[in-house]
Amino acid sequence: QASFHIDLDVATLGQFGRVSAPRVLVADPARGLDFVEDVLAKDRFVSGHFLPRRDIRRHLRAEYEASAAERHPVLLEYATELALHGYRVIGMPDLRIDPRMDVFQRVNLDFGFCNVVAGQHRKRPAVYHFLSGVASLDKDAMRRMRFAGVTPVPVSTPEVASAMMLLQGGLHCCCGSL
């Protein structure tokens, strides 16, 4: 599979509204690569490491690209199979680094929007999600959620979300056991 937990890559939203097909969010690393430069422009992701920022940026870019190349074919299979089973598939921006290659472990460097909690907000279908702190990435993810027909509801701050993700616990992971 593409990740060690399926809920990092797929979020079923169910069937609601006038669209008869159930909806599902699927991680899309190719879409995530559109935001690499925005992530690398954020000082909190590239400062405080043992290498100069320029070298860190080059290393992280290469790791994001390598991870996307490895994961994207499997995620395309997920999307294809779900579509064949009648789901309306919505690709979500996704940037990951192979955990074995994240030698920094100082700040969360994974940005995905499928580890969410689906529910209701003001009697409308909604998705509760973490923010990354990268405005362009967060805006695209929320735009994709609205495209799926749900109201995006940000939960927490990017800093708290980062700390939880460093512990390998996304929002769905944390709430799933509740």
Side-chain angles (χ1 to χ4, degrees):
Q1 66 190 42
S3 296
F4 61 95
H5 286 167
I6 191 91
D7 63 356
L8 294 171
D9 298 319
V10 176
T12 55
L13 304 179
Q15 185 177 347
F16 51 86
R18 294 181 185 163
V19 177
S20 60
R23 297 152 205 197
V24 63
L25 307 177
V26 176
D28 184 349
R31 184 176 207 84
L33 288 175
D34 292 341
F35 300 95
V36 167
E37 293 308 317
D38 297 338
V39 169
L40 298 178
K42 289 289 209 180
D43 193 55
R44 73 183 179 109
F45 300 126
V46 297
S47 66
H49 300 293
F50 61 89
L51 293 173
R53 289 178 187 169
R54 176 188 39 147
D55 293 342
I56 293 296
R57 284 185 179 100
R58 186 173 57 246
H59 171 76
L60 293 178
R61 185 179 297 108
E63 288 304 320
Y64 284 133
E65 290 170 357
S67 177
E70 182 180 326
R71 295 177 65 246
H72 197 239
V74 177
L75 292 164
L76 285 175
E77 288 181 34
Y78 289 4
T80 300
E81 191 66 27
L82 288 161
L84 288 172
H85 282 85
Y87 283 85
R88 179 177 171 209
V89 178
I90 296 89
M92 297 299 290
D94 186 85
L95 279 173
R96 306 267 183 90
I97 291 177
D98 183 328
R100 297 167 297 188
M101 299 308 293
D102 184 4
V103 297
F104 310 117
Q105 305 260 327
R106 188 186 66 72
V107 64
N108 175 55
L109 296 169
D110 288 346
F111 306 99
F113 296 90
C114 289
N115 195 277
V116 299
V117 175
Q120 297 251 323
H121 180 72
R122 297 183 179 154
K123 298 183 181 180
R124 290 194 27 81
V127 170
Y128 294 83
H129 65 95
F130 282 151
L131 291 172
S132 71
V134 179
S136 60
L137 183 58
D138 290 330
K139 285 179 186 176
D140 186 64
M142 289 189 282
R143 185 178 64 77
R144 301 295 296 164
M145 290 172 192
R146 283 189 289 276
F147 180 70
V150 295
T151 301
V153 182
V155 176
S156 187
T157 65
E159 294 76 20
V160 171
S162 176
M164 291 179 74
M165 291 299 291
L166 274 176
L167 298 171
Q168 305 298 318
L171 187 60
H172 184 263
C173 298
C174 294
C175 295
S177 59
L178 297 176

